[in-house]
Amino acid sequence: MTKKTILGWIAGSMVISACHDSKSPDKLSSTEQQSYPQMKNASWLLGSWVRISEQHSASETWIKENDSTYTAESYILANNDTIFYETAILEWRNNEMHLIVKPKGQNDDQAVSFRMTSKEGSPLIFENPQHDFPTTIVYTRIGSDSLLAQISGISQGKNKTIDFPFRKSTSADLK
């Protein structure tokens, strides 16, 4: 074979390789091929949720960051003052679902991780028995437009549960 023929073969191979889709199914990494059915089962959380009473209003908004991570911001207002603010991350890592919460002014402003202990679907149950309070966080889908968030554990030596009923936010809530 001549030098021109070899160079022609090399150039042709390079063109064919360049035209080949590098993201074809057989070329995807195991991370890219990974699906996160647990995240899909929690997708009903996505969106804005509100709770309005005479004493205060509360809002929790979940957004999808990517296929393995949802994030949220929660706050409670009383007389137009923020009396509670928290960020949360719901993520799939190390083959487990975790809810990481960071309430402002609590836990030395450090995030606390709760591991999902429920099976697929609703309710979503997250637990951290080492945390003081709460040790359990539960999200229960009540319907397409409502959910119940619940925290529980032992506080001052007694079992304590606090319910936070929410409904889907509407444009009327923005007024």
Side-chain angles (χ1 to χ4, degrees), residues 78-125:
N79 298 322
N80 292 323
D81 288 328
T82 302
I83 61 172
F84 177 81
Y85 178 78
E86 172 180 84
T87 58
I89 301 170
L90 181 60
E91 71 178 356
W92 181 257
R93 63 179 157 104
N94 301 325
N95 292 321
E96 293 181 322
M97 182 102 73
H98 293 265
L99 176 64
I100 299 102
V101 296
K102 186 177 179 184
K104 185 175 181 175
Q106 296 180 23
N107 307 311
D108 296 322
D109 284 327
Q110 298 298 308
V112 178
S113 182
F114 293 79
R115 187 176 60 81
M116 185 170 171
T117 58
S118 59
K119 301 297 178 199
E120 293 178 18
S122 180
L124 304 171
I125 303 170

Side-chain angles (χ1 to χ4, degrees), residues 2 9 18 21 25 32 35 54 56 63 66 76 87 107 111 125 128 132 143 146 148 151 157 159 162 169 173:
T2 68
W9 278 97
D21 181 8
E32 291 171 311
S35 67
E54 289 181 20
H56 63 268
I63 61 170
N66 57 50
I76 299 174
T87 58
N107 307 311
I125 303 170
N128 180 342
D132 54 1
S146 58
L148 176 64
I151 59 173
N159 285 328
I162 302 173
S169 179
D173 296 319

Side-chain angles (χ1 to χ4, degrees), residues 2-157:
T2 68
K3 220 178 200 181
K4 280 186 175 179
T5 306
I6 293 173
L7 288 174
W9 278 97
I10 292 172
S13 295
M14 290 173 70
V15 168
I16 291 170
S17 292
C19 291
H20 181 66
D21 181 8
S22 65
K23 293 293 182 184
S24 63
D26 59 329
K27 298 279 184 179
L28 291 176
S29 71
S30 61
T31 303
E32 291 171 311
Q33 289 178 5
Q34 176 99 26
S35 67
Y36 302 97
Q38 297 80 357
M39 296 302 294
K40 290 177 186 171
N41 289 333
S43 66
W44 58 267
L45 273 176
L46 297 173
S48 293
W49 302 87
V50 295
R51 182 170 55 96
I52 299 171
S53 71
E54 289 181 20
Q55 295 83 20
H56 63 268
S57 63
S59 174
E60 185 162 303
T61 301
W62 286 92
I63 61 170
K64 180 178 179 178
E65 296 293 332
N66 57 50
D67 288 346
S68 64
T69 307
Y70 299 162
T71 59
E73 281 190 308
S74 302
Y75 62 86
I76 299 174
L77 296 176
N79 298 322
N80 292 323
D81 288 328
T82 302
I83 61 172
F84 177 81
Y85 178 78
E86 172 180 84
T87 58
I89 301 170
L90 181 60
E91 71 178 356
W92 181 257
R93 63 179 157 104
N94 301 325
N95 292 321
E96 293 181 322
M97 182 102 73
H98 293 265
L99 176 64
I100 299 102
V101 296
K102 186 177 179 184
K104 185 175 181 175
Q106 296 180 23
N107 307 311
D108 296 322
D109 284 327
Q110 298 298 308
V112 178
S113 182
F114 293 79
R115 187 176 60 81
M116 185 170 171
T117 58
S118 59
K119 301 297 178 199
E120 293 178 18
S122 180
L124 304 171
I125 303 170
F126 302 91
E127 296 181 282
N128 180 342
Q130 283 73 45
H131 190 248
D132 54 1
F133 184 86
T135 55
T136 304
I137 300 173
V138 179
Y139 283 94
T140 304
R141 184 179 189 178
I142 306 299
S144 62
D145 65 345
S146 58
L147 69 80
L148 176 64
Q150 196 174 56
I151 59 173
S152 61
I154 297 177
S155 177
Q156 299 177 345

